[in-house]
Amino acid sequence: MNRPDLSLPNSKRLDADERVSIVLPTYKPDSEYIGQSIQSVATQTYEHIELVIVDSTGLDWLRELGKDYSWITYLYQEPAGLPTAWNAGIDVATGEFIGFLSDDDYYAEEKIETQVTYFDRGYDVVYADEYVLDEDGSVTYLSALPIEDPERHYVEYFKTGHGVPHLTVLGRTDCFRAEPFDERLEVREDPHLWVRLFEQYEVAKIDQALAYKRRREDSATGDPEMLYENELLEIELLCDEFPELDDYRFEREQMADYRYGKHLLRTGRTGKSQSVFANLLRGGMVNARVIGLLIASLLPAGNRTAFQWLETLAERRKR
């Protein structure tokens, strides 16, 4: 893969007590996408930024970035899964605060500047809304989970298991070193961590989209079975750690089934998705979303368009 055309500053201000480290793991990155990812860090309106690249590709030009730019730290790691890569980046980061970026996503230029002000107010972790970019070129605004009761926010998040975009999370480094990503999970390591952090620390949510996530069917999270199996493991691990969550286990497992059906429908496996949605209705999860998606899965043609329309409509109702 050739080095993308980047316009990077030779140096950045890296005051120790204001430094933000962004961890960026790479695995078979697309040149166009990772170039945009790196560029979005370089063009942040906040100056005190360190980019930590945890590289599993061995590409020479990525290694050279760590030599050519003082604000970029390069770490090579044999492929061992995302949780291991995130933790490796956290271990070598030198910032007081840490954020996360995937190699096909990117930040809004004001992201870090907007979020760091919350740490002066006593918060430990901050997240925000995001834009989702589909392969067909459509863009969806996704609202993150609101914080209605700070003391019970970890419970409310567990009940849904969704709504905190990992791209938007920024937190104190001490939090992530005390509570690292669980490397038993291949995916879903971030929702698992958010519950643990929300149970211990002060959390804020910003009502503004601060990142752009690409939804790609060839990504790890595009595999419905892997995602579903890991979500069930995530639920088991969290209920073991926080026994009070067991009261919501059935509800959460239904949400896992619902997401599984959506992923099946998104990837064109309509027959299997029909079975999942029908079982949810029989199990008592009777609402407009499940019924609508079941209907979309039964359409002989155009079900993907109907599915995307239902997703957009649901998001507009939330906002």
Side-chain angles (χ1 to χ4, degrees):
M1 186 185 79
N2 295 325
R3 176 171 175 167
D5 185 19
L6 300 171
S7 177
L8 306 179
N10 291 324
S11 63
K12 283 180 172 286
R13 293 176 59 190
L14 292 174
D15 292 356
D17 60 347
E18 299 181 79
R19 189 177 308 168
V20 174
S21 297
I22 304 302
V23 179
L24 171 60
T26 68
Y27 179 69
K28 294 183 178 179
D30 183 292
S31 175
E32 176 186 358
Y33 293 151
I34 192 174
Q36 190 173 26
S37 301
I38 294 171
Q39 193 68 58
S40 77
V41 176
T43 55
Q44 286 293 299
T45 55
Y46 187 80
E47 293 186 83
H48 309 276
I49 294 181
E50 170 193 41
L51 175 61
V52 180
I53 298 176
V54 183
D55 180 34
S56 296
T57 67
L59 289 170
D60 288 340
W61 72 264
L62 282 172
R63 191 184 308 273
E64 290 167 2
L65 289 180
K67 297 177 181 178
D68 295 343
Y69 300 95
S70 60
W71 57 278
I72 297 179
T73 298
Y74 175 89
L75 173 67
Y76 177 77
Q77 178 178 286
E78 291 292 337
L82 265 178
T84 303
W86 296 128
N87 287 337
I90 291 168
D91 287 343
V92 303
T94 63
E96 289 294 305
F97 313 101
I98 287 181
F100 307 97
L101 182 59
S102 301
D103 61 16
D104 54 357
D105 305 321
Y106 60 100
Y107 289 158
E109 64 179 10
E110 72 279 11
K111 177 186 186 294
I112 305 303
E113 183 177 19
T114 301
Q115 291 183 289
V116 293
T117 61
Y118 283 76
F119 299 116
D120 291 335
R121 306 180 202 177
Y123 293 104
D124 302 301
V125 180
V126 186
Y127 65 90
D129 301 338
E130 72 174 352
Y131 291 107
V132 174
L133 313 177
D134 276 298
E135 291 179 309
D136 63 3
S138 61
V139 180
T140 305
Y141 187 110
L142 288 184
S143 300
L145 183 70
I147 301 174
E148 297 176 350
D149 181 351
E151 293 297 319
R152 285 183 52 82
H153 190 53
Y154 79 105
V155 176
E156 295 306 314
Y157 179 64
F158 170 78
K159 287 163 65 175
T160 65
H162 180 72
V164 178
H166 85 103
L167 289 173
T168 72
V169 172
L170 190 70
R172 298 184 191 275
T173 300
D174 290 346
C175 298
F176 296 111
R177 289 189 173 148
E179 292 288 340
F181 289 95
D182 193 317
E183 297 179 9
R184 290 173 289 183
L185 294 162
E186 296 176 88
V187 293
R188 298 286 307 181
E189 75 286 348
D190 41 341
H192 178 261
L193 177 56
W194 305 158
V195 171
R196 290 153 50 209
L197 292 178
F198 296 168
E199 194 272 338
Q200 296 185 57
Y201 300 107
E202 296 295 323
V203 184
K205 188 259 179 180
I206 299 174
D207 297 324
Q208 179 182 348
L210 295 177
Y212 296 79
K213 178 178 178 60
R214 296 184 194 278
R215 185 152 50 196
R216 302 174 66 187
E217 292 181 5
D218 60 350
S219 69
T221 54
D223 182 338
E225 276 70 31
M226 176 187 288
L227 199 60
Y228 181 58
E229 291 168 5
N230 275 262
E231 183 162 5
L232 295 181
L233 175 57
E234 170 204 345
I235 293 168
E236 179 181 350
L237 293 172
L238 287 170
C239 287
D240 286 346
E241 185 169 354
F242 305 106
E244 67 272 22
L245 297 180
D246 205 52
D247 291 342
Y248 309 100
R249 184 169 188 154
F250 176 72
E251 178 182 348
R252 174 59 195 281
E253 287 175 342
Q254 282 195 317
M255 288 300 302
D257 289 344
Y258 171 74
R259 271 189 285 276
Y260 180 43
K262 283 181 63 178
H263 282 106
L264 290 168
L265 182 56
R266 184 181 291 120
T267 54
R269 297 168 61 184
T270 56
K272 181 65 174 175
S273 68
Q274 290 167 19
S275 176
V276 172
F277 294 132
N279 285 338
L280 282 170
L281 290 173
R282 284 192 289 268
M285 192 176 186
V286 181
N287 59 48
R289 292 180 302 171
V290 176
I291 294 171
L293 290 172
L294 177 60
I295 292 171
S297 72
L298 293 168
L299 295 176
N303 61 78
R304 183 179 177 86
T305 300
F307 168 65
Q308 290 175 337
W309 180 82
L310 286 166
E311 278 196 314
T312 302
L313 180 61
E315 179 56 31
R316 285 176 179 172
R317 290 181 65 185
K318 284 196 297 181
R319 290 180 63 191

